[in-house]
Amino acid sequence: MLLECKSTTVLTEPLMEERIELNTHQATYIKLSMKYLPSYPITHVGFSTTYARCLTHIPNISFSMQRHALASPCGGRFLRDMKRLGIPVHVWTVNEEGCMEWSIEKELSGVITDEVALFREVCNRTGSDEVRTPTTSSRQKNAFRIIYQNMRFWVEIALVHLLITLFQARQWLKYGSPRRHIKRELNGI
């Protein structure tokens, strides 16, 4: 904490509002963030594109969404709409190479990963025109690996969407529609 300083280096550093984003999971915390830290950017962290769509009217908001939620047709529409509105979308947690390539292809604003070195390699490879020519035996191994990864990914998506649907049904029964719940929580903000 800086109490008193006359150094010009400190004065030229970015403001705290430019370095810190407030991460919230629900509208209650968005309201508190807007009340106590109004100049700080807010990032909604979630898995429901339906819930996130109800928050697009909030100024200076971005979204950090679970990767399976964005890899469906609804996720594709969500990404397209957020790009049109100029709202940044980040994805978490992307540790597989294929998912990293997908994230780069979709031009997401950010990727949260545990495998930073692999992501950097994928970014460098994706940005270059470098083409690898695998041998016949490695092509066969790669084909099986790709088929396995794709099947595993789509099974994961199906399971995650089933869980999301069950959770949303529970929330809907408890609080009503996401739009009504958010409106009630934000109370006109």
Side-chain angles (χ1 to χ4, degrees):
M1 179 174 286
L2 185 73
L3 296 176
E4 192 174 323
C5 182
K6 304 212 190 271
S7 170
T8 57
T9 57
V10 173
L11 297 175
T12 60
E13 289 183 8
L15 300 170
M16 291 300 281
E17 293 91 344
E18 296 171 4
R19 296 188 293 172
I20 296 175
E21 283 191 27
L22 305 172
N23 293 315
T24 63
H25 295 275
Q26 54 180 280
T28 306
Y29 301 111
I30 292 173
K31 183 177 181 179
L32 292 171
S33 298
M34 293 175 75
K35 180 178 179 181
Y36 294 108
L37 299 166
S39 60
Y40 284 71
I42 299 171
T43 299
H44 169 70
V45 179
F47 54 83
S48 170
T49 57
T50 305
Y51 194 89
R53 281 179 183 282
C54 297
L55 301 171
T56 57
H57 70 282
I58 295 172
N60 211 10
I61 195 159
S62 64
F63 298 108
S64 181
M65 304 297 289
Q66 202 270 343
R67 69 183 174 104
H68 293 93
L70 295 177
S72 68
C74 292
R77 280 192 302 274
F78 177 79
L79 289 173
R80 186 177 58 247
D81 293 345
M82 295 308 110
K83 187 176 236 179
R84 186 176 42 79
L85 293 171
I87 297 175
V89 178
H90 305 89
V91 63
W92 52 270
T93 301
V94 179
N95 291 330
E96 292 85 21
E97 190 172 347
C99 295
M100 291 176 182
E101 290 169 351
W102 177 87
S103 301
I104 294 167
E105 177 187 312
K106 294 296 180 185
E107 299 177 352
L108 296 173
S109 303
V111 173
I112 298 169
T113 182
D114 298 324
E115 305 293 336
V116 178
L118 176 61
F119 186 68
R120 187 170 291 133
E121 177 188 318
V122 170
C123 286
N124 291 338
R125 187 176 63 237
T126 305
S128 70
D129 294 330
E130 174 186 328
V131 178
R132 295 185 198 172
T133 53
T135 62
T136 307
S137 62
S138 67
R139 278 188 202 148
Q140 227 174 11
K141 288 178 187 174
N142 283 341
F144 287 122
R145 184 177 56 87
I146 290 169
I147 291 170
Y148 170 75
Q149 286 177 342
N150 284 338
M151 286 178 26
R152 183 175 148 227
F153 181 69
W154 287 108
V155 168
E156 283 178 10
I157 286 177
L159 290 173
V160 168
H161 277 279
L162 175 66
L163 293 173
I164 289 171
T165 303
L166 292 173
F167 180 77
Q168 284 180 327
R170 179 188 167 276
Q171 294 298 98
W172 190 289
L173 292 172
K174 188 174 181 180
Y175 299 112
S177 75
R179 188 170 304 281
R180 197 170 78 213
H181 170 67
I182 289 170
K183 188 176 180 180
R184 185 174 50 241
E185 286 295 325
L186 293 180
N187 209 10
I189 291 180

